[in-house]
C-alpha cells in the first residue's frame, strides 16, 4: 500500500465511520476496486479505526470527562449513587452504555470470525448496503421523539449495534435508526449512539491488536499506517460534527439514496466480474 492509497482509504474510513453509510463496507469495496488484498485491508483497518476512535474522544471530551468522574463516584459510594438514580443523569448514562454493550459483546465473541468471512465478498457487502438504505429511509416516517433513555430502549439500540458486524450495515445508521423508531429524543440519540460506540470499537480494535502481534507488520506499511491514522482522525472529527448538526435539523433518511446507489453499483459491477 502506497501513501496515496492509504490517504484514500483513511478518508473513506474517517468520513464514513460516522456518516450512516458503513465505513467497513466502504473500505472493503474501495479495497476491492483498488486491487488490494482484503486481509491487508483488515490490518490497515485497525489503525484507521484508532483514528476515528480518537476523534470521538476529542468531539465529546467534555461529556466523557463528566462520565469519567461519575465512574469514580460510583466506585467510591455505589449505594449512595444508585439511591440517587433518578437525579444522577451521568450515573444512568454510564449504566445505559454498559447495557448497550451486551449484544455487541456477545456477538463479537461468538460469531465475529464467521461474520468476517463475508468481508471477502463484495456482492454480499453491496446487498447489505441496500439493507442500510432501507433502515435509513424508513426513519422519514417517524415523528421526532420525546422519550428519554431507559434500560429497555438502550438494550434494543445495542441489538442494532450488533448488526453492524455485517459489512455494509452502518453502525451509526443502525443505532440512530433504531433510536428514532423507539421515539428517543434527538439530543439523547446524538450523544448516546456515538458514545456507545467507544467501548465496542475499542474492544474490537484491541482484539485486532493481539492478532497483529502474531501476524506482524508488512514491509513498507509503517508510513501509510501513520498517515492513515491522522487522516482518519481529522476527517472523522468533521464528519461526526456535521452529521450531528444534520441529524438534529433534518434527519438521516437522505443517506438512503447514497447507500442504494453504492449497493446497486456493487451488485452489478462485482456480480458481472464474478461471472
Amino acid at each position: 500500500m502506497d501513501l496515496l492509497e492509504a490517504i484514500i482509504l483513511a478518508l473513506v474510513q474517517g468520513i464514513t465511520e460516522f456518516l450512516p453509510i458503513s465505513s467497513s463496507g466502504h473500505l472493503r469495496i474501495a479495497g476491492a476496486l483498488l486491487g488490494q488484498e482484503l486481509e491487508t485491508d483488515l490490518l490497515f483497518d485497525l489503525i484507521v479505526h484508532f483514528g476515528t476512535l480518537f476523534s470521538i474522544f476529542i468531539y465529546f471530551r467534555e461529556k466523557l470527562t463528566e462520565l469519567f468522574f461519575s465512574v469514580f463516584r460510583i466506585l467510591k459510594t455505589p449505594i449512595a449513587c444508585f439511591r440517587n438514580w433518578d437525579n444522577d443523569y451521568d450515573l444512568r448514562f454510564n449504566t445505559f452504555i454498559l447495557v448497550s454493550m451486551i449484544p455487541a459483546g456477545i456477538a463479537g465473541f461468538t460469531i465475529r470470525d464467521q461474520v468476517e468471512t463475508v468481508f471477502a465478498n463484495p456482492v454480499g457487502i453491496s446487498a447489505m448496503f441496500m439493507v442500510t438504505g432501507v433502515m435509513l429511509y424508513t426513519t422519514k416516517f417517524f415523528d421526532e421523539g420525546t422519550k428519554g433513555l431507559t434500560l429497555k430502549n438502550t438494550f434494543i439500540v445495542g441489538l442494532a449495534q450488533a448488526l453492524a458486524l455485517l459489512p455494509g450495515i452502518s453502525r451509526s445508521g443502525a443505532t440512530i435508526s433504531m433510536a428514532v423508531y423507539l421515539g428517543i429524543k434527538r439530543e439523547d440519540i446524538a450523544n448516546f449512539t456515538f458514545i456507545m460506540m467507544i467501548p465496542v470499537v475499542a474492544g474490537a480494535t484491541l482484539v485486532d491488536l493481539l492478532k497483529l502481534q502474531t501476524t506482524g507488520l508488512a514491509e513498507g506499511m509503517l508510513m501509510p499506517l501513520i498517515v492513515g491514522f491522522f487522516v482518519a482522525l481529522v476527517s472523522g472529527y468533521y464528519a461526526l460534527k456535521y452529521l450531528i448538526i444534520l441529524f438534529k435539523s433534518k434527519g438521516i433518511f437522505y443517506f438512503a439514496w447514497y447507500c442504494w446507489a453504492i449497493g446497486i453499483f456493487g451488485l452489478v459491477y462485482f456480480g458481472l466480474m464474478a461471472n
Side-chain angles (χ1 to χ4, degrees):
M1 181 181 295
D2 60 31
L3 283 180
L4 179 60
E5 290 170 339
I7 290 171
I8 293 172
L9 291 174
L11 275 173
V12 169
Q13 165 65 19
I15 293 172
T16 61
E17 175 69 10
F18 303 116
L19 298 184
I21 52 177
S22 181
S23 61
S24 61
H26 274 79
L27 281 173
R28 301 301 173 265
I29 294 294
L33 290 173
L34 290 171
Q36 297 290 322
E37 291 293 330
L38 294 181
E39 184 63 28
T40 302
D41 287 348
L42 288 174
L43 300 177
F44 182 78
D45 213 5
L46 167 67
I47 299 301
V48 293
H49 268 89
F50 260 128
T52 49
L53 187 62
F54 272 80
S55 68
I56 304 179
F57 284 128
I58 294 171
Y59 184 84
F60 288 107
R61 58 190 179 278
E62 294 181 0
K63 181 61 181 176
L64 290 172
T65 300
E66 295 173 2
L67 296 175
F68 181 77
F69 283 109
S70 174
V71 171
F72 278 100
R73 291 197 304 272
I74 296 169
L75 294 176
K76 185 178 180 180
T77 56
I79 296 176
C81 285
F82 280 95
R83 283 176 178 170
N84 196 37
W85 172 267
D86 290 336
N87 299 317
D88 192 336
Y89 181 78
D90 290 337
L91 166 65
R92 298 198 307 275
F93 198 97
N94 276 321
T95 305
F96 298 150
I97 292 294
L98 290 175
V99 169
S100 73
M101 291 169 53
I102 296 172
I106 294 174
F109 282 108
T110 57
I111 61 172
R112 186 187 181 203
D113 290 340
Q114 292 90 331
V115 169
E116 281 187 350
T117 60
V118 182
F119 282 108
N121 183 356
V123 174
I125 297 170
S126 301
M128 290 302 101
F129 270 112
M130 303 296 290
V131 175
T132 294
V134 172
M135 288 191 298
L136 297 177
Y137 193 75
T138 52
T139 63
K140 177 180 180 180
F141 304 105
F142 288 79
D143 296 329
E144 186 167 339
T146 58
K147 299 177 182 178
L149 300 172
T150 66
L151 291 172
K152 180 180 178 180
N153 62 26
T154 52
F155 180 79
I156 295 173
V157 174
L159 288 172
Q161 180 171 226
L163 288 176
L165 286 174
L166 292 167
I169 298 292
S170 165
R171 187 189 309 274
S172 63
T175 55
I176 292 175
S177 295
M178 181 59 71
V180 170
Y181 301 158
L182 294 170
I184 300 173
K185 291 181 290 188
R186 290 196 179 189
E187 182 68 30
D188 286 338
I189 293 174
N191 290 330
F192 182 74
T193 55
F194 291 109
I195 293 178
M196 71 180 282
M197 293 170 59
I198 294 176
V200 173
V201 173
T205 303
L206 181 60
V207 171
D208 286 340
L209 263 179
L210 297 176
K211 290 181 180 179
L212 275 178
Q213 291 180 356
T214 58
T215 59
L217 185 66
E219 184 178 354
M221 278 294 293
L222 180 60
M223 186 56 65
L225 290 176
I226 293 173
V227 171
F229 172 85
F230 286 104
V231 170
L233 189 156
V234 174
S235 58
Y237 175 85
Y238 285 103
L240 174 59
K241 177 180 179 179
Y242 290 111
L243 173 62
I244 290 177
I245 293 172
L246 178 64
F247 169 65
K248 289 181 178 180
S249 61
K250 297 186 180 297
I252 58 170
F253 66 89
Y254 298 101
F255 291 100
W257 300 105
Y258 176 82
C259 289
W260 287 333
I262 292 292
I264 293 171
F265 167 79
L267 289 171
V268 173
Y269 180 81
F270 294 109
L272 289 175
M273 286 185 62
N275 296 326

